[in-house]
Amino acid sequence: MSDPDISSPPTARDVAKRAGVSVITVSRVMRSAPNVSPAMRDKVRAAALELGYRPNRVAGALRARETGLVAVIVPSMSHSVFPEVIDGIDHGLSGTSLRTVLGITHYDQAREAAILHDLIAWNPAAVIISGLEHHPDVHAMLAGASCPVVEVMDVDGDPIDLCVGTSQQEAGELMAAHLVETGRRRIGYVGAWGERPDRSRKRREAFAAALTRRGLDLAVHIEDAPSSLKTGRAGCAAILAEHPDLDAIHFANDDLALGALFHCRENGIRVPEDIGLAGFNGIELVGMITPRLTTIANPRFEMGICAARMLSRRLNSEYSEGDQDAQVSLPAGDTWHLPLHLSKGDTT
Amino acid sequence: MSDPDISSPPTARDVAKRAGVSVITVSRVMRSAPNVSPAMRDKVRAAALELGYRPNRVAGALRARETGLVAVIVPSMSHSVFPEVIDGIDHGLSGTSLRTVLGITHYDQAREAAILHDLIAWNPAAVIISGLEHHPDVHAMLAGASCPVVEVMDVDGDPIDLCVGTSQQEAGELMAAHLVETGRRRIGYVGAWGERPDRSRKRREAFAAALTRRGLDLAVHIEDAPSSLKTGRAGCAAILAEHPDLDAIHFANDDLALGALFHCRENGIRVPEDIGLAGFNGIELVGMITPRLTTIANPRFEMGICAARMLSRRLNSEYSEGDQDAQVSLPAGDTWHLPLHLSKGDTT
DNA sequence: ATGAAAGCGCTAACAT
DNA sequence: ATGTTAGCGCTTTCAT
């Protein structure tokens, strides 16, 4: 009654021997494939249990030519945006046999290419990648990939395959309209870190264009440092030093805007009386502090969910694992444009 | 000059044919294995490039019995703690050929077991999992895993293999000492969501014990909802309703404490005069707001880095890929106890 | 330094 | 319903 081989885990062959059947029967039972009699199934299951057998997914993936791995490529983990998207993806993927393999590019295009290169070699069931603008190598790999590709976050551009996100154009327009409607005229914009990712630049350009259409200029200041409260503070101080007469500043994201809020508070600048402040993203915090920050709510979690849903639909046959079929409002097209909402706070 | 087969990607065999060599030579070149002449190498590389050949990692992993996948299992993505740990892991793993495969348990033990089950079937090079307390099934799988296991976050307990984290005991003691030294006597504690993860319970117990040793009681209130600013607000209101005379409240984390801070501000409760507030984690925000929140800085990013370093050392032979060798201060043991620091703010 | 043979553990395809 | 055969694409082992 001793284990036949303590060094390596049991294989389907071991189970087959033990149960007195063939390996393919073991395979069928473990995969819950059809055409197996209940008696056989129980016998094999018992043997598998006794040996502690686990089918080797690597071998299965090689033979069946399907890994069930979803390559998820995001630029960063250091603010809440991408974790929330990933959380959404994970939620959306639960109930399928798909697994997330993570790549973090740190906003480095060479790294993005290297990561994608590596992940594609795993023959993933799908790739979910952040943004619509990619290095030519990355674009080529995505276009040539033999699996579905979902580009998330942004819908302003030409998707390679599937796409879910919000419109940066819309964001810029929304904020410009709001600020002008509430009487602001001398408007500034603060970004960070060379405007990575690209969609922050798109939003800024759309914002500027919308102001131009209304006969207004935009003072722009871009900090070198990555986005953070501290950077927002510095950016706010810097743009006000250059343009002391601004009556509103729009920030590339809420972190920056919050930093600016602290700067104003500490320097006796009244918000919103002396100056209006607005961010982008709609993180939980902005609605909790006093004054509540005006921002645009970007549905990050939902984007993840939607990306996973689009994939489930595309891959349906192979990976569904239950009642995913009862799917809610899935739009027909390959691009899923989610709405943005202006969240009016007390700072504008 | 047309592609031999447009439907499926080229294999090593295709490259071998094209270069007029054997498949094993292609394999050697692609892996930069020794015993290949420069001429041969160039010839094969050229052929591979022309065909756009990428070695199939699934096949390689099956034969070589090494996937280079690191299973990372965390309870949640919805606050910054685990993304930061993952970020650290990713940083620490860069420069190796190891890749992160992610599992999110949502604090569900059954789900944790299922995820681990599934990930182990991928024959990972290592498992990094959050916490020291696991479901018996999970513990058994980890103990029986044929790869290194790193338990991160917590060092108070019996690690299965490698371990890196901070001491919850120490955290409880640190905060108790601080509050008592600064004159607080009627102390409360607010947790959330059934005290998941377990280490928040450990901290609370250590905190209570440290107060008992000083002759003080602890009023405890646990909210049902997951941690958030909103929950902190509610928890603060609730514990003060029950114990109006408290002069300090320690919260399971900074999110809760921040919520409480907003509650106090809106209800005319002066902080720190009427009541002291303290959190745990040391997120960026707590040092930026006014008043700065007292908390304990928990080195999340560093834990990730350390976990990756311990793995690099253990797996060194197979996966190192450059100058990782020049490694800094790696402690000798299998458990790496990182220090905590009390971050004194204005709220105590 | 190069190659031939064998087979990792599983599953598709084809019997029976 | 069960089994036999072949082979996924690569790398180990052993020759030369």
Side-chain angles (χ1 to χ4, degrees):
Chain A
M1 270 299 170
S2 66
D3 288 327
D5 186 353
I6 200 140
S7 63
S8 64
T11 69
R13 237 181 109 199
D14 299 327
V15 178
K17 264 183 200 143
R18 176 123 183 174
V21 300
S22 70
V23 270
I24 184 63
T25 302
V26 175
S27 171
R28 289 199 181 105
V29 171
M30 297 313 290
R31 285 177 295 134
S32 307
N35 295 330
V36 181
S37 71
M40 192 98 258
R41 213 192 45 213
D42 293 345
K43 194 161 58 169
V44 171
R45 289 232 171 108
L49 206 63
E50 284 166 34
L51 294 176
Y53 169 66
R54 290 296 307 160
N56 181 330
R57 298 270 259 132
V58 178
L62 175 60
R63 178 66 244 222
R65 291 148 170 281
E66 59 169 58
T67 58
L69 298 175
V70 177
V72 176
I73 300 177
V74 297
S76 163
M77 278 297 213
S78 48
H79 47 296
S80 66
V81 172
F82 297 105
E84 286 179 44
V85 175
I86 293 170
D87 206 15
I89 292 170
D90 188 76
H91 267 88
L93 251 35
S94 76
T96 75
S97 56
L98 297 164
R99 285 249 150 268
T100 297
V101 186
L102 190 64
I104 307 174
T105 69
H106 301 277
Y107 293 102
D108 177 338
Q109 293 209 316
R111 201 157 176 170
E112 183 174 47
I115 288 171
L116 185 60
H117 208 96
D118 192 75
L119 291 183
I120 282 182
W122 276 101
N123 187 24
V127 175
I128 300 178
I129 191 166
S130 176
L132 280 173
E133 330 293 326
H134 313 287
H135 187 274
D137 290 356
V138 169
H139 191 94
M141 279 189 270
L142 292 173
S146 54
C147 64
V149 172
V150 190
E151 290 167 290
V152 290
M153 306 307 291
D154 191 4
V155 296
D156 300 317
D158 293 317
I160 292 165
D161 184 10
L162 303 168
C163 179
V164 53
T166 54
S167 163
Q168 315 308 306
Q169 283 284 338
E170 192 182 326
E173 172 63 39
L174 212 54
M175 186 57 77
H178 170 69
L179 292 179
V180 172
E181 277 164 24
T182 54
R184 309 290 174 172
R185 290 296 176 272
R186 297 179 305 281
I187 299 177
Y189 177 93
V190 172
W193 207 19
E195 305 205 278
R196 275 167 276 190
D198 278 323
R199 52 195 167 279
S200 68
R201 183 186 40 71
K202 288 191 195 173
R203 283 199 302 275
R204 193 250 305 152
E205 286 168 357
F207 183 59
L211 290 177
T212 302
R213 245 176 282 123
R214 291 167 172 80
L216 297 174
D217 282 336
L218 178 64
V220 174
H221 174 84
I222 309 293
E223 287 281 313
D224 281 335
S227 273
S228 69
L229 297 174
K230 201 168 295 198
T231 305
R233 233 180 186 143
C236 183
I239 199 170
L240 286 176
E242 250 189 292
H243 308 276
D245 62 332
L246 292 181
D247 63 7
I249 310 176
H250 179 29
F251 292 81
N253 58 55
D254 291 338
D255 297 331
L256 295 173
L258 285 171
L261 193 54
F262 295 130
H263 171 82
C264 291
R265 184 179 290 167
E266 286 158 24
N267 289 274
I269 304 169
R270 292 171 306 161
V271 177
E273 294 82 357
D274 298 334
I275 197 159
L277 300 179
F280 178 83
N281 265 333
I283 61 178
E284 189 199 6
L285 186 65
V286 306
M288 299 296 292
I289 59 167
T290 311
R292 287 171 306 143
L293 182 72
T294 291
T295 188
I296 293 178
N298 197 27
R300 302 169 295 283
F301 184 81
E302 285 73 9
M303 286 191 236
I305 294 269
C306 294
R309 286 241 180 92
M310 291 182 110
L311 283 181
S312 300
R313 182 175 57 178
R314 184 66 82 76
L315 300 168
N316 216 346
S317 40
E318 299 117 78
Y319 300 99
S320 59
E321 219 182 46
D323 47 21
Q324 283 279 310
D325 320 63
Q327 278 177 5
V328 214
S329 59
L330 251 186
D334 282 347
T335 290
W336 199 345
H337 181 156
L338 299 181
L340 291 167
H341 297 288
L342 187 109
S343 168
K344 169 81 175 68
D346 309 312
T347 60
T348 57
Chain B
M1 270 301 168
S2 68
D3 288 326
D5 186 353
I6 202 141
S7 63
S8 66
T11 70
R13 236 181 111 198
D14 300 326
V15 178
K17 261 182 202 146
R18 177 124 183 175
V21 299
S22 69
V23 270
I24 184 59
T25 301
V26 174
S27 171
R28 287 198 181 104
V29 171
M30 298 313 290
R31 284 177 295 135
S32 306
N35 296 330
V36 181
S37 70
M40 192 99 256
R41 212 193 45 215
D42 294 345
K43 194 162 60 173
V44 171
R45 288 232 170 107
L49 207 63
E50 284 165 34
L51 295 176
Y53 169 66
R54 289 299 308 161
N56 181 330
R57 299 269 262 132
V58 179
L62 174 60
R63 180 64 244 224
R65 293 150 167 282
E66 58 169 60
T67 56
L69 298 175
V70 176
V72 176
I73 300 176
V74 297
S76 163
M77 277 299 214
S78 49
H79 48 298
S80 66
V81 172
F82 296 105
E84 286 180 43
V85 174
I86 292 170
D87 205 15
I89 292 170
D90 188 76
H91 267 88
L93 250 36
S94 77
T96 75
S97 56
L98 296 165
R99 286 250 149 265
T100 297
V101 186
L102 191 63
I104 307 174
T105 69
H106 301 278
Y107 294 102
D108 177 338
Q109 292 210 316
R111 200 156 177 173
E112 183 175 46
I115 288 171
L116 184 60
H117 208 96
D118 192 75
L119 291 183
I120 282 182
W122 276 101
N123 187 25
V127 174
I128 300 178
I129 191 166
S130 177
L132 281 172
E133 330 293 327
H134 313 287
H135 187 274
D137 290 356
V138 169
H139 191 94
M141 278 190 268
L142 292 173
S146 54
C147 65
V149 172
V150 191
E151 289 167 288
V152 290
M153 305 309 288
D154 190 4
V155 296
D156 301 317
D158 293 316
I160 291 164
D161 183 9
L162 302 168
C163 179
V164 53
T166 54
S167 163
Q168 316 308 308
Q169 282 285 338
E170 192 182 324
E173 171 64 38
L174 212 55
M175 187 55 79
H178 170 69
L179 292 178
V180 173
E181 277 163 23
T182 54
R184 309 290 175 174
R185 291 295 177 272
R186 297 179 306 282
I187 299 176
Y189 177 94
V190 172
W193 205 17
E195 304 205 278
R196 274 167 278 190
D198 278 323
R199 53 195 167 281
S200 69
R201 184 186 39 71
K202 288 191 195 175
R203 283 200 301 277
R204 193 251 305 154
E205 286 169 357
F207 183 59
L211 290 177
T212 302
R213 244 178 281 122
R214 290 166 172 83
L216 298 174
D217 282 339
L218 178 65
V220 173
H221 174 84
I222 310 294
E223 287 280 313
D224 280 336
S227 273
S228 70
L229 296 175
K230 201 168 294 197
T231 305
R233 231 178 189 148
C236 183
I239 199 170
L240 285 177
E242 249 189 292
H243 307 275
D245 61 334
L246 292 181
D247 63 8
I249 310 176
H250 179 29
F251 293 82
N253 58 55
D254 291 338
D255 297 335
L256 295 174
L258 285 170
L261 192 54
F262 295 130
H263 170 82
C264 290
R265 185 179 288 166
E266 286 159 23
N267 290 275
I269 304 170
R270 292 171 308 158
V271 178
E273 294 82 356
D274 298 335
I275 197 159
L277 300 179
F280 178 84
N281 266 334
I283 62 178
E284 189 199 6
L285 185 66
V286 305
M288 300 296 294
I289 58 166
T290 309
R292 288 170 306 143
L293 182 72
T294 291
T295 188
I296 292 178
N298 197 26
R300 303 168 295 283
F301 183 81
E302 285 74 9
M303 286 190 236
I305 293 269
C306 294
R309 286 241 181 93
M310 292 181 110
L311 282 181
S312 300
R313 183 175 57 178
R314 183 65 84 75
L315 300 168
N316 216 346
S317 41
E318 300 118 76
Y319 300 98
S320 59
E321 217 182 47
D323 47 20
Q324 283 279 311
D325 319 65
Q327 277 178 4
V328 215
S329 61
L330 252 185
D334 281 347
T335 290
W336 199 343
H337 180 156
L338 298 181
L340 290 168
H341 298 288
L342 187 110
S343 169
K344 169 79 176 71
D346 310 312
T347 58
T348 56

